Amino acid sequence: MPLPDELRGQAPIAAESRADSLHELRDALRRFAVEREWERFHSPKNLASALIVEAAELLEPFQWLGEHESRQLQDDKLRHVGEELADVLLYLIRLADVLGIDLRAAALQKIEANARKYPVQHARGNARRPPER
């Protein structure tokens, strides 16, 4: 699936490399769950719940920071954010795998849908949502 015109030339990594990386993470998560006999606990509901908990934990290092401060994280806080981002990513990949969703294809479709919903000429520099159609 091609990227929207706005994103062409932006990513230095080939699409095939990104797909391989997602597949490698998916396979590593499958092995991790199988080795621990955790597949029975990995229902879509449980994985979605865990994903939301991790997403909430991602917000914690930013609590009470101003906009400028949130862009200046360093050392332990930045490391903590990286760990929480990894947790969110891993649960997201595992949930997509359990549901049989091609996460890369779904993400590219969403980018294309957003490009149609937020055309550059109307959205550039404007954070407002367009009216529902």
Side-chain angles (χ1 to χ4, degrees), residues 7-73:
L7 297 176
R8 288 183 210 272
Q10 296 295 314
I13 300 170
E16 294 76 22
S17 296
R18 286 195 304 269
D20 290 346
S21 295
L22 283 176
H23 288 138
E24 288 170 8
L25 288 171
R26 181 204 60 204
D27 293 347
L29 287 167
R30 282 180 184 170
R31 284 191 303 276
F32 187 88
V34 166
E35 289 168 352
R36 289 156 182 80
E37 298 180 353
W38 284 357
E39 306 102 306
R40 66 180 175 215
F41 305 118
H42 287 184
S43 68
K45 180 199 94 42
N46 287 349
L47 291 167
S49 296
L51 175 63
I52 292 302
V53 169
E54 294 301 336
E57 289 180 9
L58 174 60
L59 186 57
E60 185 179 15
F62 298 101
Q63 188 175 17
W64 312 120
L65 296 182
E67 289 292 323
H68 178 73
E69 293 170 305
S70 72
R71 296 174 188 272
Q72 306 298 320
L73 296 183

